Amino acid sequence: MKILARQLTLDLYNCNDKKFFDFTAIKSVIDSVFDVESKIMSTSLDNEHSAFVAAFKEGHIALHIYSALKYVAVDIFTCNESGESEELAKVLSKYFQPEKTKSTYLKRGDFGLEKEIKPKIKVRVAPLRKVRNVGAKVVKKLVQGGN
């Protein structure tokens, strides 16, 4: 069934916070994926929260950047069937370098069966984080075993 639009949301945890306030670089990252020049609005809501919105012909992108939490929330809304939203998700993940990424994919305007309206969720943890977590568990087991 034809759907009207697609929305991809990203939760980027424990990001490289040195890139949070370079709005020119973020704009160039977005424009590198889309063929058209986007209309950009960015603002610092307070010392720890910034918002970045880019609108273009076939959709929009919103980023909320929380510097104290090293967290970025991303919404990518497109009104076409191209893979641009997935490509932009990859490029933004590469730019912000999160340790953990959670993505949710929604079909907007899907007039199919109600039971089919479920988002697809993926969680990815950076390899270095996995190594640290396993190492901590091993040390904990060794300490507990020594008692």
Side-chain angles (χ1 to χ4, degrees):
M1 168 163 277
K2 178 127 174 83
I3 62 172
L4 296 178
R6 291 160 172 72
Q7 185 169 2
L8 179 63
T9 64
L10 300 172
D11 292 306
L12 307 175
Y13 300 97
N14 207 11
C15 295
N16 180 351
D17 58 349
K18 292 176 179 55
K19 299 182 176 189
F20 280 174
F21 300 106
D22 189 352
F23 293 120
T24 305
I26 295 170
K27 180 185 182 320
S28 67
V29 165
I30 291 171
D31 288 342
S32 73
V33 175
F34 296 97
D35 292 334
V36 296
E37 180 86 9
S38 56
K39 299 199 184 326
I40 303 292
M41 184 193 85
S42 60
T43 184
S44 182
L45 301 172
D46 60 37
N47 290 339
E48 298 177 356
H49 181 197
S50 298
F52 183 92
V53 178
F56 50 96
K57 184 178 178 180
E58 293 293 327
H60 66 271
I61 299 147
L63 285 86
H64 285 269
I65 302 169
Y66 300 88
S67 59
L69 300 172
K70 293 186 171 187
Y71 169 75
V72 179
V74 181
D75 293 328
I76 305 168
F77 185 92
T78 56
C79 301
N80 57 28
E81 296 187 30
S82 71
E84 291 171 333
S85 57
E86 290 84 3
E87 179 63 27
L88 181 59
K90 289 178 190 175
V91 171
L92 287 172
S93 289
K94 186 175 180 180
Y95 177 79
F96 287 112
Q97 302 170 336
E99 286 188 9
K100 180 179 176 185
T101 302
K102 177 180 156 189
S103 63
T104 305
Y105 181 77
L106 301 166
K107 294 178 183 177
R108 305 297 302 270
D110 183 358
F111 298 99
L113 298 175
E114 189 173 318
K115 69 178 184 177
E116 295 175 353
I117 304 174
K118 290 185 192 175
K120 295 178 185 174
I121 299 173
K122 293 181 188 175
V123 176
R124 187 185 71 75
V125 177
L128 184 58
R129 170 69 104 187
K130 288 180 186 176
V131 169
R132 281 190 289 197
N133 290 346
V134 170
K137 288 178 185 177
V138 168
V139 169
K140 186 177 179 181
K141 290 288 183 185
L142 289 173
V143 169
Q144 288 175 350
N147 290 331

